[in-house]
Amino acid sequence: QSRDDMKAMAVTDPLTRCYNRRLLYEIADHELQQHRRYNLPLSLLYIDVDHFKEVNDLHGHAVGDIVLAGTSHRMAGALRGNDIFGRFGGEEFLAIIHTEHQERLLEVADRLRRRVAEAHVDLHAATAADRLRLVRRQFEASVLQFARLRLAFF
């Protein structure tokens, strides 16, 4: 794989394909410095997907992964181009919104909530092929992370 592919994989969550926690920390730190230096508008939205544990418990982790990936895709698509979105961990996400107006921030939060609430996830449509693709993608990401770790030691 190319160096650019490796860089992208290092900052992307393999399941949701959005920014990972490591990059979110870097971006948030930079944005906070810009906010302090230039008095630019900045707000953070911490998002926790309700009842996600029930999905995993009732339908299994493969279906839970499909739901989580779809949920993150819908939320990311509801943001403006200059807003930043990523997976913070588990079923938690972070959105960095370039506004300080509480009304605007509440509008964004409500738009995200509506986009997720409007989604219909057919849990029975999660075919064996879908599950296999997710497992393969996670395995490939794990192998790559192991290879990078091993290279770092030698």
Side-chain angles (χ1 to χ4, degrees):
Q1 290 188 350
S2 75
R3 190 174 202 86
D4 289 339
D5 290 342
M6 298 274 289
K7 284 181 182 179
M9 290 178 79
V11 297
T12 305
D13 178 70
L15 174 64
T16 62
R17 305 280 190 198
C18 60
Y19 292 144
N20 64 16
R21 182 182 193 136
R22 187 174 117 203
L23 185 61
L24 283 174
Y25 276 134
E26 290 177 23
I27 292 172
D29 183 55
H30 173 76
E31 293 291 330
L32 189 56
Q33 289 177 21
Q34 296 294 94
H35 167 74
R36 288 178 178 154
R37 178 176 291 149
Y38 301 111
N39 197 30
L40 296 174
L42 182 67
S43 297
L44 299 176
L45 277 178
Y46 173 81
I47 304 153
D48 185 85
V49 178
D50 287 340
H51 311 294
F52 183 71
K53 184 181 180 322
E54 293 173 25
V55 172
N56 275 340
D57 290 348
L58 291 173
H59 304 284
H61 289 278
V63 172
D65 286 351
I66 291 167
V67 170
L68 197 60
T71 299
S72 68
H73 179 74
R74 292 187 68 77
M75 286 190 288
L79 294 173
R80 297 178 305 180
N82 66 332
D83 295 329
I84 297 155
F85 179 79
R87 186 175 181 193
F88 196 68
E91 70 274 10
E92 302 161 337
F93 296 88
L94 185 69
I96 301 172
I97 311 295
H98 295 95
T99 187
E100 288 181 332
H101 300 293
Q102 186 174 2
E103 290 174 14
R104 162 81 176 110
L105 193 59
L106 290 173
E107 288 171 8
V108 171
D110 190 54
R111 184 170 62 243
L112 294 175
R113 183 197 57 77
R114 281 194 322 269
R115 286 290 302 266
V116 172
E118 291 168 356
H120 173 73
V121 179
D122 184 359
L123 297 176
H124 301 292
T127 65
D130 292 330
R131 293 176 185 162
L132 183 60
R133 269 194 297 279
L134 282 169
V135 169
R136 185 178 301 133
R137 189 172 21 175
Q138 290 169 339
F139 175 75
E140 288 169 356
S142 296
V143 168
L144 182 62
Q145 287 173 342
F146 175 74
R148 280 198 308 263
L149 181 64
R150 188 168 176 213
L151 285 173
F153 282 115
F154 296 102

